[in-house]
Amino acid sequence: MEQPNPSIFPHAVILPMPAQGHMKPMLRLAELLCLAGLHVTFVNSDYIQARLLKSMDVAAFCSRLPGFRFESLSDGLPPEHPRAGRLANDLFFSTRSVTKPLFRELLISLGKESGSPPTCVIADGLMSFAVDAAEEVGIPIITFRTYNASCTWVYFHISKLIEEGEIPFQGDKDMDRQITCIPGLESLLRRRDLPGICRLEEIENPVMQYYLSETSAMTRASALIINTFEELEAPVISKLGSLFPKVYTIGPLHTFLKSHIKHSSSPSVSSNGSLWQQDRSCLAWLDSQPSKSVVYVSFGSLVSLTRDQMMEFWYGLVHSGKKFLWVIRPNSIEGEEGVGQTPVEELLEGTKERGFMVGWAPQEEVLGHPSIGGFITHSGWNSTLESLSAGVPVICWPQFSDQLVNSRCVSELWRIGLDMKDTCDRLTIEKMVRDLLEDKREEIIRSANEIARMARESVKEGGSSYCNLEKLINDIRLMCLTN
Ligand code: UDX
């Protein structure tokens, strides 16, 4: 029998921004591509790879996915750098200067290997140096933006917001002023809902300039991938089609992978993609709680709280009288020495009776647990997608970047939650928890169930994301034949 020529194996080189919320969805995509028979080289930073080695069985994962391999490169920061909170942005500049030449060398060396040379690069929309590197080496590039479609569209209008004088905000900030110059989102966004960078006071700020240049570089890619689904954001997705030859909406990727594994005869291969060790003891605690009685609280991998903010959440949760499961990530409270101060007796008692705290949770399983009734989230896009796929209504406490847009979509467009943006007081938290679990539950849960249904449908055979992933895979195969 004629053997297939190994050089025709399509091979995607995937480069995420080295952060939890970027690496995880791109790893999911890598798994799906491998399961479809493609080869994947997944390029982490040395720092992320070292953490992944501690939190998951990387060897077992790779052995179950033929064609998959990890590579790692320096992100340019010293190991002790926190890469979170206010210092997370340092990665933008260090990767640009240090990772870029290393990535280019990697592409060249992969091209020299016998077997399957790279067919295309799939790079994070915040790693535009990959566009330069791929162009220099002559490999097609696809950009993956880890935000939703609406927010991605907003980023393409930042220059327009500057031209029209909407940003930077002057004098009286008038944060409720409507933003009307973004087509398709005219009646949705107020100043306070714009991405975090719009609150910077200087256009010349390096972070603002970074986002402007990254967003503009994305359009040099041959296609855009977004972890969303057509039924959720159809009008804006079609507008993005005016900027890219192809747009593949293939989300929710975590649901996609679960459904793929459920219907496949191959052994379960999925990684949880967590950079922290998951504390699974909370699942047993959840098992002992009544249906829809617990509010889950987590602010993702980057947000830090001040001690005052933490106390407001703590009082609000305890006074709501509801059960709560709270993720307090190591080092996520600023001025940590304050945390050691003894909280009042009332909080300790209330927490003992109704609360459970962990350092890092198996979030997808938690959100799918029958005792979860709501989620207080920072509105990162992964957390938002995970809750909307599980039909869990949310209270949004967005802090920066896309989170401010996501929370507006959640509360005003999809109506699956409440937005407590720009506030942090115990009375609001207490009231919103009660609203979510009782007073406003009926109307919110109706939309939440409908959106969860649409999310499930989109990844089933024949669904919109299912078909788009097939198109993406076929297009990569075609690139391989024509390269
Ligand atoms: C960041 C940005 O903040 C976010 O807005 C952007 O869309 C992606 O990059 P992050 O802050 O980490 O991400 O938030 P999010 O996107 O919600 O991702 C967090 C991930 O960590 C989720 O997939 C969630 O399931 C996981 N997680 C979080 C856990 O597995 N356990 C936890 O205890 C908390």
Side-chain angles (χ1 to χ4, degrees), residues 20-22 24 146-147 274 278 296 298-302 327 360-361 363-364 378-383 386 400-403:
Q20 173 74 84
H22 293 249
K24 193 171 153 183
T146 58
Y147 299 165
S274 259
Q278 297 177 333
Y296 171 60
S298 163
F299 303 117
S301 67
L302 297 172
V327 176
W360 191 252
Q363 180 162 304
E364 290 171 37
H378 69 307
S379 302
W381 183 235
N382 295 291
S383 294
E386 289 158 15
F400 49 77
S401 71
D402 60 328
Q403 301 157 15

Short mmCIF file of all heavy atoms in Angstrom, two decimals, residues 20-22 24 146-147 274 278 296 298-302 327 360-361 363-364 378-383 386 400-403, ligand 1:
data_model
loop_
_atom_site.label_atom_id
_atom_site.label_comp_id
_atom_site.label_asym_id
_atom_site.label_seq_id
_atom_site.Cartn_x
_atom_site.Cartn_y
_atom_site.Cartn_z
N GLN A 20 -2.62 32.97 31.27
CA GLN A 20 -3.62 31.91 31.41
C GLN A 20 -4.81 32.06 30.45
O GLN A 20 -5.18 31.12 29.74
CB GLN A 20 -4.12 31.89 32.87
CG GLN A 20 -5.26 30.96 33.14
CD GLN A 20 -4.85 29.50 33.17
OE1 GLN A 20 -4.40 28.99 34.18
NE2 GLN A 20 -4.99 28.81 32.05
N GLY A 21 -5.41 33.25 30.43
CA GLY A 21 -6.64 33.45 29.65
C GLY A 21 -6.41 33.45 28.15
O GLY A 21 -7.37 33.39 27.38
N HIS A 22 -5.17 33.50 27.72
CA HIS A 22 -4.85 33.44 26.29
C HIS A 22 -4.39 32.03 25.90
O HIS A 22 -4.81 31.50 24.88
CB HIS A 22 -3.73 34.45 25.96
CG HIS A 22 -4.16 35.87 26.12
ND1 HIS A 22 -4.33 36.73 25.06
CD2 HIS A 22 -4.49 36.59 27.22
CE1 HIS A 22 -4.72 37.91 25.49
NE2 HIS A 22 -4.82 37.86 26.81
N LYS A 24 -5.05 29.17 27.40
CA LYS A 24 -6.02 28.09 27.56
C LYS A 24 -6.91 27.89 26.31
O LYS A 24 -7.00 26.77 25.81
CB LYS A 24 -6.85 28.34 28.82
CG LYS A 24 -7.66 27.14 29.26
CD LYS A 24 -8.28 27.36 30.61
CE LYS A 24 -9.53 26.55 30.77
NZ LYS A 24 -10.22 26.78 32.04
N THR A 146 -8.37 36.60 21.54
CA THR A 146 -9.03 35.86 22.64
C THR A 146 -10.20 36.65 23.24
O THR A 146 -10.80 36.21 24.21
CB THR A 146 -8.02 35.52 23.75
OG1 THR A 146 -7.44 36.74 24.22
CG2 THR A 146 -6.94 34.59 23.27
N TYR A 147 -10.52 37.81 22.66
CA TYR A 147 -11.68 38.58 23.12
C TYR A 147 -12.92 38.12 22.36
O TYR A 147 -12.82 37.35 21.41
CB TYR A 147 -11.47 40.07 22.84
CG TYR A 147 -10.28 40.68 23.54
CD1 TYR A 147 -9.79 41.92 23.14
CD2 TYR A 147 -9.64 40.04 24.60
CE1 TYR A 147 -8.71 42.51 23.77
CE2 TYR A 147 -8.55 40.62 25.23
CZ TYR A 147 -8.08 41.85 24.81
OH TYR A 147 -7.01 42.43 25.44
N SER A 274 -4.69 24.52 33.09
CA SER A 274 -4.57 25.39 34.26
C SER A 274 -3.12 25.62 34.63
O SER A 274 -2.33 24.68 34.65
CB SER A 274 -5.25 24.72 35.47
OG SER A 274 -6.50 25.25 35.68
N GLN A 278 -5.40 22.66 40.65
CA GLN A 278 -6.81 22.84 41.01
C GLN A 278 -7.11 22.20 42.37
O GLN A 278 -6.70 21.05 42.60
CB GLN A 278 -7.71 22.20 39.96
CG GLN A 278 -7.58 22.85 38.59
CD GLN A 278 -8.42 22.16 37.54
OE1 GLN A 278 -8.70 20.96 37.63
NE2 GLN A 278 -8.82 22.90 36.52
N TYR A 296 -20.69 31.34 43.09
CA TYR A 296 -19.26 31.09 42.87
C TYR A 296 -18.59 32.44 42.61
O TYR A 296 -19.13 33.27 41.85
CB TYR A 296 -19.10 30.15 41.66
CG TYR A 296 -17.68 29.96 41.15
CD1 TYR A 296 -16.69 29.44 41.97
CD2 TYR A 296 -17.35 30.29 39.83
CE1 TYR A 296 -15.39 29.25 41.49
CE2 TYR A 296 -16.06 30.11 39.34
CZ TYR A 296 -15.08 29.59 40.17
OH TYR A 296 -13.81 29.41 39.71
N SER A 298 -15.00 34.32 41.48
CA SER A 298 -13.61 34.19 41.00
C SER A 298 -13.30 35.35 40.06
O SER A 298 -14.15 35.75 39.26
CB SER A 298 -13.43 32.86 40.26
OG SER A 298 -12.25 32.92 39.48
N PHE A 299 -12.08 35.86 40.18
CA PHE A 299 -11.69 37.01 39.35
C PHE A 299 -10.56 36.66 38.38
O PHE A 299 -9.72 37.50 38.06
CB PHE A 299 -11.31 38.19 40.25
CG PHE A 299 -12.42 38.58 41.19
CD1 PHE A 299 -12.26 38.49 42.57
CD2 PHE A 299 -13.64 39.01 40.70
CE1 PHE A 299 -13.29 38.83 43.44
CE2 PHE A 299 -14.68 39.35 41.56
CZ PHE A 299 -14.51 39.26 42.93
N GLY A 300 -10.53 35.40 37.92
CA GLY A 300 -9.59 35.01 36.87
C GLY A 300 -8.14 34.97 37.32
O GLY A 300 -7.84 34.85 38.51
N SER A 301 -7.24 35.11 36.37
CA SER A 301 -5.83 34.87 36.65
C SER A 301 -5.00 36.13 36.83
O SER A 301 -3.85 36.05 37.24
CB SER A 301 -5.22 34.03 35.52
OG SER A 301 -5.21 34.78 34.33
N LEU A 302 -5.55 37.30 36.49
CA LEU A 302 -4.72 38.52 36.51
C LEU A 302 -5.18 39.60 37.49
O LEU A 302 -4.36 40.38 37.97
CB LEU A 302 -4.69 39.14 35.10
CG LEU A 302 -4.06 38.30 33.99
CD1 LEU A 302 -4.28 38.96 32.63
CD2 LEU A 302 -2.57 38.12 34.23
N VAL A 327 -12.82 31.80 45.10
CA VAL A 327 -11.42 31.54 44.73
C VAL A 327 -10.58 32.75 45.11
O VAL A 327 -10.80 33.85 44.59
CB VAL A 327 -11.28 31.30 43.21
CG1 VAL A 327 -9.81 31.11 42.83
CG2 VAL A 327 -12.10 30.10 42.75
N TRP A 360 -7.49 27.94 43.88
CA TRP A 360 -7.74 27.80 42.43
C TRP A 360 -8.72 26.65 42.27
O TRP A 360 -8.53 25.59 42.87
CB TRP A 360 -6.44 27.52 41.67
CG TRP A 360 -6.53 27.61 40.17
CD1 TRP A 360 -6.49 26.57 39.29
CD2 TRP A 360 -6.64 28.81 39.38
NE1 TRP A 360 -6.58 27.04 38.01
CE2 TRP A 360 -6.67 28.41 38.02
CE3 TRP A 360 -6.73 30.16 39.67
CZ2 TRP A 360 -6.78 29.32 36.97
CZ3 TRP A 360 -6.83 31.07 38.62
CH2 TRP A 360 -6.86 30.65 37.28
N ALA A 361 -9.78 26.86 41.50
CA ALA A 361 -10.84 25.85 41.41
C ALA A 361 -10.85 25.19 40.03
O ALA A 361 -10.35 25.78 39.07
CB ALA A 361 -12.19 26.52 41.65
N GLN A 363 -12.71 25.38 37.48
CA GLN A 363 -13.84 26.30 37.22
C GLN A 363 -14.91 25.74 36.29
O GLN A 363 -16.10 25.93 36.53
CB GLN A 363 -13.30 27.63 36.66
CG GLN A 363 -14.41 28.63 36.37
CD GLN A 363 -13.91 30.05 36.24
OE1 GLN A 363 -13.26 30.57 37.14
NE2 GLN A 363 -14.22 30.68 35.14
N GLU A 364 -14.49 25.06 35.23
CA GLU A 364 -15.52 24.57 34.29
C GLU A 364 -16.42 23.56 34.98
O GLU A 364 -17.63 23.56 34.77
CB GLU A 364 -14.86 23.96 33.06
CG GLU A 364 -14.22 25.02 32.18
CD GLU A 364 -13.38 24.42 31.07
OE1 GLU A 364 -13.77 23.37 30.51
OE2 GLU A 364 -12.31 24.98 30.77
N HIS A 378 -15.00 38.64 37.09
CA HIS A 378 -14.38 39.87 36.58
C HIS A 378 -14.70 40.04 35.09
O HIS A 378 -14.21 40.96 34.46
CB HIS A 378 -12.86 39.78 36.79
CG HIS A 378 -12.21 38.74 35.92
ND1 HIS A 378 -12.64 37.43 35.88
CD2 HIS A 378 -11.19 38.81 35.02
CE1 HIS A 378 -11.89 36.74 35.01
NE2 HIS A 378 -11.02 37.56 34.47
N SER A 379 -15.46 39.11 34.53
CA SER A 379 -15.90 39.18 33.13
C SER A 379 -14.78 39.00 32.12
O SER A 379 -14.83 39.55 31.01
CB SER A 379 -16.63 40.50 32.83
OG SER A 379 -17.74 40.64 33.66
N GLY A 380 -13.75 38.23 32.46
CA GLY A 380 -12.79 37.80 31.44
C GLY A 380 -13.57 37.01 30.41
O GLY A 380 -14.60 36.40 30.73
N TRP A 381 -13.09 36.99 29.17
CA TRP A 381 -13.93 36.35 28.14
C TRP A 381 -14.07 34.84 28.36
O TRP A 381 -15.13 34.27 28.13
CB TRP A 381 -13.42 36.67 26.73
CG TRP A 381 -14.33 36.08 25.68
CD1 TRP A 381 -13.98 35.25 24.67
CD2 TRP A 381 -15.76 36.26 25.57
NE1 TRP A 381 -15.08 34.89 23.94
CE2 TRP A 381 -16.19 35.50 24.47
CE3 TRP A 381 -16.71 36.98 26.30
CZ2 TRP A 381 -17.54 35.44 24.06
CZ3 TRP A 381 -18.05 36.92 25.91
CH2 TRP A 381 -18.45 36.17 24.81
N ASN A 382 -13.01 34.18 28.84
CA ASN A 382 -13.15 32.74 29.08
C ASN A 382 -14.19 32.46 30.16
O ASN A 382 -15.05 31.60 30.00
CB ASN A 382 -11.81 32.12 29.50
CG ASN A 382 -10.79 32.21 28.38
OD1 ASN A 382 -10.92 31.55 27.36
ND2 ASN A 382 -9.80 33.06 28.55
N SER A 383 -14.11 33.20 31.26
CA SER A 383 -15.07 32.99 32.35
C SER A 383 -16.49 33.29 31.86
O SER A 383 -17.44 32.58 32.21
CB SER A 383 -14.74 33.89 33.55
OG SER A 383 -13.51 33.50 34.09
N GLU A 386 -17.60 30.45 29.67
CA GLU A 386 -17.82 29.23 30.46
C GLU A 386 -19.15 29.33 31.22
O GLU A 386 -19.90 28.36 31.30
CB GLU A 386 -16.64 28.99 31.41
CG GLU A 386 -15.38 28.55 30.67
CD GLU A 386 -14.08 28.80 31.43
OE1 GLU A 386 -14.12 29.04 32.66
OE2 GLU A 386 -13.00 28.76 30.80
N PHE A 400 -10.46 45.58 33.78
CA PHE A 400 -9.67 46.19 32.70
C PHE A 400 -9.89 45.48 31.37
O PHE A 400 -10.66 44.51 31.29
CB PHE A 400 -8.17 46.24 33.03
CG PHE A 400 -7.59 44.94 33.54
CD1 PHE A 400 -7.30 43.91 32.67
CD2 PHE A 400 -7.35 44.75 34.91
CE1 PHE A 400 -6.78 42.71 33.13
CE2 PHE A 400 -6.82 43.55 35.37
CZ PHE A 400 -6.53 42.53 34.47
N SER A 401 -9.24 45.97 30.38
CA SER A 401 -9.26 45.50 28.97
C SER A 401 -10.68 45.14 28.53
O SER A 401 -11.62 45.90 28.73
CB SER A 401 -8.22 44.41 28.72
OG SER A 401 -8.54 43.20 29.32
N ASP A 402 -10.83 43.96 27.92
CA ASP A 402 -12.12 43.59 27.33
C ASP A 402 -13.23 43.39 28.36
O ASP A 402 -14.41 43.35 28.02
CB ASP A 402 -11.95 42.32 26.49
CG ASP A 402 -11.45 41.14 27.31
OD1 ASP A 402 -10.70 41.35 28.27
OD2 ASP A 402 -11.82 40.00 26.98
N GLN A 403 -12.84 43.22 29.62
CA GLN A 403 -13.84 42.90 30.65
C GLN A 403 -14.94 43.96 30.74
O GLN A 403 -16.10 43.66 31.02
CB GLN A 403 -13.13 42.78 32.02
CG GLN A 403 -12.06 41.70 32.03
CD GLN A 403 -11.02 41.91 33.10
OE1 GLN A 403 -11.20 42.70 34.03
NE2 GLN A 403 -9.90 41.22 33.00
C1 UDX B 1 -7.34 37.52 30.56
C2 UDX B 1 -8.22 38.75 30.56
O1 UDX B 1 -8.41 39.26 31.85
C3 UDX B 1 -9.50 38.46 29.89
O2 UDX B 1 -10.34 39.57 29.99
C4 UDX B 1 -9.21 38.09 28.47
O3 UDX B 1 -10.42 37.88 27.79
C5 UDX B 1 -8.32 36.86 28.44
O4 UDX B 1 -7.16 37.09 29.20
P1 UDX B 1 -8.18 36.18 32.78
O5 UDX B 1 -8.17 37.43 33.54
O6 UDX B 1 -7.38 35.10 33.32
O7 UDX B 1 -7.83 36.39 31.23
O8 UDX B 1 -9.73 35.74 32.72
P2 UDX B 1 -10.51 34.67 31.88
O9 UDX B 1 -10.53 35.03 30.44
O10 UDX B 1 -11.83 34.54 32.52
O11 UDX B 1 -9.70 33.31 32.03
C6 UDX B 1 -9.49 32.67 33.26
C7 UDX B 1 -9.43 31.18 33.03
O12 UDX B 1 -8.95 30.60 34.22
C8 UDX B 1 -10.79 30.57 32.74
O13 UDX B 1 -10.69 29.68 31.66
C9 UDX B 1 -11.14 29.82 34.02
O14 UDX B 1 -11.85 28.61 33.82
C10 UDX B 1 -9.79 29.53 34.61
N1 UDX B 1 -9.89 29.46 36.08
C11 UDX B 1 -10.09 30.59 36.81
C12 UDX B 1 -9.77 28.23 36.69
O15 UDX B 1 -9.61 27.20 36.02
N2 UDX B 1 -9.86 28.19 38.04
C13 UDX B 1 -10.04 29.28 38.82
O16 UDX B 1 -10.08 29.15 40.04
C14 UDX B 1 -10.16 30.54 38.18
#
